[in-house]
Every structure is written in C-alpha cells, then in structure tokens.
Amino acid sequence: MVLIGGVTVKRTCYNMVMADNLSQMLQPLANELRKASRVLCLTGAGVSAESGVPTFRDSGGLWEGCRPEDLATPEAFGRDPEQVWRFYRSRRAKLLAVQPNPAHEVIARFESRFDDFHLVTQNVDGLHQQAGSKQIHCLHGDIWIDRCTECGFERRVATVDEPMPQCDRCGGLARPGVVWFGEMLPDGVFERAVQLAADAEVVLVVGTSSVVYPAASLAGLAAQSGAFVAEINPNATAFSESASLVIPVEAGKSLPELEKILDISTSD
Ligand code: OAD
C-alpha cells in the first residue's frame, strides 16, 4: 500500500478526511500515469452507481434478498424463463432512465490521453459505450443483446417490450446476452484481458468488490506483473490489501479530480 504523507491512516478515517485530501491522495497515481503509455481500467457495478444503477452486493443491491442462482444461471432460466426475463426486463427498464456519469466520461476520454488504453468491464449496462468508450472488453456480455437459445442468433434491442423474446431467425426462445454463473466467458475476451493486465504499466480498478472470478484475478495478475494498481472504491474489497494505492472515494468524484490533476500537469 502507498501511504499518503508517510502516515498510516486506517480506512475508516479516510472517509472523514478525504474531501480535502482527494487531490493529495491521487498524486502518486497521477505521477505513475504521467509516465505510462499502457494503461488498463477494470470496472464493476460501482462505476455506474452514481448514475443510479444499483450494484449487486452493496446494501440495496440487486442480490440483496434474492439468490443469484435463482436469476442468473442457465438452470434458473431452464426452470423458469419468465421469472428470469422479469428480472432482466426490470433492469433494462431502469437502464432506459439513466445516463453515464462523470466517471464513465473520464474513462472514455482516457482513451485519447494514453497511447494504449483499454477498458475491461464486468458491467453489462452499456453506459461505458454510451459515454464513448471504444477500446472496451466486456467480460460478462451485454444486457441489450437477445441471444437465441436454439440457434445462437443475436440481435441488439433498445426497448423493453416483449415479455419472452423469440428469435427473428428460427423462432426459438431468446435469452439475455449476459454471462451467467457457471457459464464460460465470451470467446477470447478473457484471454485478451489477461494479456492486457500482464502488459499494463498502470491499472485502475474501479467499483468492483473483486469477488467474482475470473474477472477478480486480473488486478492481482497485473500487480504480480509489476503494474502500479490503484483501487478506486469507497469501501474495502477483497483486493484492497494487494493494491499499490487505495482511493476510498466514489469514482464520480475521484476520476474527474484525477483528470484535472493530469490536465494541469500537461499544460505546465
Ligand atoms: P459488486 O456489487 O459486487 O461490487 C460493487 C462495488 O462497487 C463495491 O465494492 C462497492 O463498494 C463499489 N462502489 C459502490 N459505489 C461506488 C462508487 N460510486 N464508486 C466506486 N465504487 C463504488 O459488483 P461487481 O464487483 O461488479 O456478474 O460484481 C461482479 C459481478 O457479480 C457482476 O458482473 C455480476 C455480479 O453477480 C454476473 O451477473 C455474472
């Protein structure tokens, strides 16, 4: 862990001092980013929290009071596709009402700031794409895709109409184009993410509890490969102890501040 000003500050104290010290806390990360060309950002549900999208495991999160295995497994879909579709229709409907927040926007702009910038996300909400991210690798699929369970045909949707969508090509039952627990990640995407994590000089781990594998292994791999790995998350996670630096502040505050620091140093 990098200690700010050489003082060990317990995480619980950070929240009280962070407003004034955010810029100071971000300096070690800004210093690393100024020298870096290969930068990787790993995101989870927390990056969309300030857009109004619930996370999974926080209080009030999507998994509170329900079991993921009842809603996000192939077995659950096989047992009760209508129940699973109700869950995904309700998530899609909520997403129609939200917009990318400043954290998504800064991440999108980082693509043009660094020679080689990539985003690997566990999110399926489409907000990174809406904010303009192009170098994006989606580990857990895309909630706006319907995929046929019979022939695999995929179509992109933008509305929430059909209760149980059918395939345009063969009429089979479609399912959401996301990765469920117990399923393989999309072909080649994780392999590419591993390569990016191993090659990165600086990694930003933003808004993930780092408990879902294999996504959660990427930050550790980057750290072992010598990257400076900064975690941006208001709460401690399974990865915090291994991070080079922890910024315990919401992504929508810390990323714009980080961009401001980098802009100032560029204009010097
Ligand atoms: P989680 O809900 O597990 O974790 C969200 C993280 O975001 C927590 O660590 C929060 O502290 C943090 N957080 C909350 N608000 C934040 C903010 N404003 N800025 C920064 N961080 C914030 O979500 P994920 O780690 O994304 O998979 O979950 C991983 C996977 O588990 C998901 O992709 C999904 C889920 O089950 C599948 O459905 C397969």
Side-chain angles (χ1 to χ4, degrees):
M1 299 268 282
V2 170
L3 301 174
I4 306 303
V7 180
T8 307
V9 184
K10 279 202 185 137
R11 179 174 276 273
T12 46
C13 303
Y14 271 147
N15 288 329
M16 289 183 279
V17 295
M18 68 194 180
D20 287 345
N21 289 347
L22 178 56
S23 164
Q24 198 191 338
M25 284 183 194
L26 288 164
Q27 287 301 336
L29 173 57
N31 291 343
E32 294 296 326
L33 285 170
R34 279 188 204 104
K35 300 180 285 187
S37 49
R38 293 185 307 282
V39 178
L40 175 64
C41 183
L42 304 170
T43 64
V47 79
S48 297
E50 288 156 274
S51 292
V53 182
T55 63
F56 293 92
R57 295 174 182 80
D58 292 309
S59 157
L62 290 172
W63 295 153
E64 190 175 80
C66 71
R67 300 180 330 145
E69 49 279 39
D70 290 338
L71 295 167
T73 61
E75 292 76 20
F77 191 73
R79 265 194 315 269
D80 191 347
E82 174 51 35
Q83 184 191 30
V84 172
W85 265 118
R86 251 198 316 275
F87 173 64
Y88 283 94
R89 271 202 310 276
S90 131
R91 285 178 62 189
R92 282 180 176 178
K94 285 180 189 142
L95 287 173
L96 287 177
V98 304
Q99 296 295 325
N101 67 55
H104 297 107
E105 287 161 7
V106 170
I107 292 168
R109 286 194 290 273
F110 274 5
E111 271 183 26
S112 48
R113 180 177 283 276
F114 301 98
D115 291 344
D116 192 4
F117 180 90
H118 289 263
L119 168 62
V120 170
T121 188
Q122 296 166 84
N123 296 350
V124 298
D125 57 27
L127 291 177
H128 281 303
Q129 294 90 331
Q130 244 179 279
S133 282
K134 301 267 186 300
Q135 298 293 341
I136 177 166
H137 309 270
C138 297
L139 293 177
H140 293 168
D142 184 334
I143 200 170
W144 293 107
I145 300 263
D146 286 351
R147 187 166 70 243
C148 180
T149 54
E150 302 288 332
C151 72
F153 181 72
E154 292 188 349
R155 66 167 182 184
R156 175 161 287 281
V157 293
T159 53
V160 188
D161 339 291
E162 293 176 72
M164 294 265 276
Q166 287 183 322
C167 176
D168 290 339
R169 201 160 68 177
C170 77
L173 176 63
R175 54 163 282 178
V178 300
V179 177
W180 284 326
F181 291 100
E183 291 188 317
M184 302 293 286
L185 269 48
D187 266 356
V189 178
F190 186 66
E191 290 73 8
R192 179 77 175 118
V194 164
Q195 190 189 3
L196 292 167
D199 290 349
E201 294 158 291
V202 179
V203 177
L204 307 172
V205 185
V206 185
T208 175
S209 55
S210 291
V211 295
V212 174
Y213 283 78
S217 64
L218 294 168
L221 169 67
Q224 278 162 21
S225 308
F228 183 92
V229 186
E231 180 181 68
I232 296 178
N233 194 317
N235 301 302
T237 75
F239 179 70
S240 302
E241 290 292 319
S242 311
S244 315
L245 175 72
V246 174
I247 306 294
V249 180
E250 289 83 357
K253 291 198 190 85
S254 41
L255 285 172
E257 184 65 24
L258 178 62
E259 186 180 45
K260 212 157 73 183
I261 296 170
L262 292 171
D263 282 348
I264 291 166
S265 52
T266 313
S267 64
D268 280 349

